[in-house]
Amino acid sequence: MPELPEVETIRRQLSPKLLGRTITAAWAFDSPKFDEASLAVGTTITSLRRRGKYLLVELSSPETAASELVIHLGMTGRLTVTPPTTGDEPGTTAVEAADRHLRARWSFEDGSTLRFHDVRRFGRVAVVRSGHYEQLPTLASLGPEPDDEAFDAEHLRSAVNGGRRHVKTVLLSQRTVAGVGNIYADEALWRSGVDPRARRLTRVAALRLRDAVREVIAQGIASGGTTLRDYRDADGNRGTNQDQLDCYGRQGEPCHRCGTTIVHAVVDARSTSWCPHCQRR
Ligand SMILES: [Zn+2]
């Protein structure tokens, strides 16, 4: 599933292609999860932002208040921009095959299009008044970004120690910190030496984990994201962060720090890997 680094990679690639474009037409797959795509017709894209795993496309229109096209990639969502001439050229078979999973398409004044493909249909498209996320409760209640000052060790420690949940589940909740999913949670917990099943953090462990979350997210962005199966960036390329993983998906392999075999279990319904020697509760 695309997490913060993957969505940020896509945002950076799409920005220069979409800024200033006016949406002249839209098509959506027949589902309430995608059919708001057409509400963006007649608007102009003024910026691309990201919060957590959400891409926020800011729209302006001469007639109505500023709005946002909110896109969540779900498990398998991909965004691509097709230049104006592609449809007339030979060799578009790949595009046509991919269109079987097309969920939304926006056309621009210059003939280019933004396409949202989503095989498994866990993605979501919404158009809302700027900053009004009531219909998107996860977005409305997102915690701070990892690099935000508000994501400090005490904030993290009180979120863990104040509840009864495992630390990994707190990281995945999106309420304590935005954008962390299964891959980067396992990586941050390994890096900080914290057992994913811990229910309490010392001040020292909370600071280490806070720093580790920032580090693994920054490394993920610098590597263009992590591609295990489905993820491709907006240019159709794989990320390279999968080559740098220390923990996620490495069960049965030796820990890069101590050599102990990485173990695997389901923690709160999420597949989880950790080193039983150097990650402590
Ligand atoms: Zn170890």
Side-chain angles (χ1 to χ4, degrees):
M1 172 189 282
E3 303 180 29
L4 189 161
E6 291 74 38
V7 179
E8 178 62 18
T9 299
I10 290 169
R11 185 194 73 78
R12 291 179 184 186
Q13 292 174 323
L14 290 179
S15 281
K17 297 176 180 174
L18 297 182
L19 284 183
R21 294 265 91 91
T22 295
I23 300 171
T24 54
W27 172 89
F29 183 76
D30 185 15
S31 157
K33 295 175 72 182
F34 305 105
D35 60 14
E36 289 188 14
S38 61
L39 298 178
V41 173
T43 66
T44 298
I45 296 173
T46 54
S47 81
L48 267 71
R49 295 190 301 123
R50 180 197 51 73
R51 273 287 279 135
K53 306 174 196 174
Y54 291 85
L55 185 67
L56 306 175
V57 183
E58 296 194 4
L59 307 169
S60 77
S61 147
E63 284 100 44
T64 57
S67 55
E68 286 173 42
L69 168 61
V70 180
I71 300 175
H72 191 280
L73 298 175
M75 297 282 289
T76 56
R78 289 183 193 173
L79 287 165
T80 51
V81 173
T82 310
T85 53
T86 301
D88 304 324
E89 288 173 350
T92 56
T93 317
V95 172
E96 286 159 13
D99 276 5
R100 199 154 56 88
H101 302 295
L102 188 66
R103 305 301 171 208
R105 181 182 61 223
W106 297 268
S107 304
F108 303 110
E109 80 287 356
D110 67 342
S112 63
T113 58
L114 172 64
R115 291 158 191 253
F116 181 39
H117 294 100
D118 185 14
V119 175
R120 294 189 62 186
R121 283 189 258 156
F122 286 102
R124 172 82 198 263
V125 169
V127 176
V128 301
R129 206 144 57 85
S130 276
H132 290 253
Y133 305 131
E134 296 81 3
Q135 64 178 98
L136 300 154
T138 306
L139 175 57
S141 61
L142 276 185
E145 294 288 313
D147 61 1
D148 191 323
E149 263 181 45
F151 180 50
D152 65 23
E154 198 48 43
H155 167 79
L156 175 57
R157 183 168 173 261
S158 60
V160 174
N161 295 6
R164 310 182 74 84
R165 296 175 302 166
H166 297 117
V167 60
K168 175 160 178 188
T169 305
V170 171
L171 290 179
L172 295 180
S173 73
Q174 307 302 305
R175 288 172 173 263
T176 301
V177 60
V180 176
N182 217 24
I183 297 171
Y184 296 95
D186 279 8
E187 289 298 298
L189 288 161
W190 180 87
R191 193 175 285 222
S192 60
V194 174
D195 187 307
R197 301 163 299 170
R199 295 180 194 268
R200 292 194 67 78
L201 291 176
T202 63
R203 287 197 161 81
V204 172
L207 183 58
R208 280 205 312 261
L209 180 56
R210 192 286 304 265
D211 289 348
V213 167
R214 288 181 169 174
E215 289 165 12
V216 299
I217 292 288
Q219 179 193 299
I221 295 171
S223 306
T226 304
T227 299
L228 296 167
R229 283 187 296 271
D230 299 296
Y231 169 71
R232 297 292 183 280
D233 67 22
D235 295 328
N237 297 316
R238 301 161 63 91
T240 62
N241 196 54
Q242 63 277 10
D243 302 330
Q244 303 179 69
L245 297 179
D246 286 306
C247 185
Y248 178 87
R250 294 194 66 248
Q251 56 269 19
E253 296 177 48
C255 173
H256 284 158
R257 193 162 41 211
C258 75
T260 303
T261 303
I262 299 281
V263 297
H264 175 265
V266 175
V267 175
D268 296 338
R270 299 303 299 272
S271 168
T272 299
S273 304
W274 72 96
C275 173
H277 177 71
C278 59
Q279 288 179 250
R280 298 297 168 91
R281 293 206 212 193

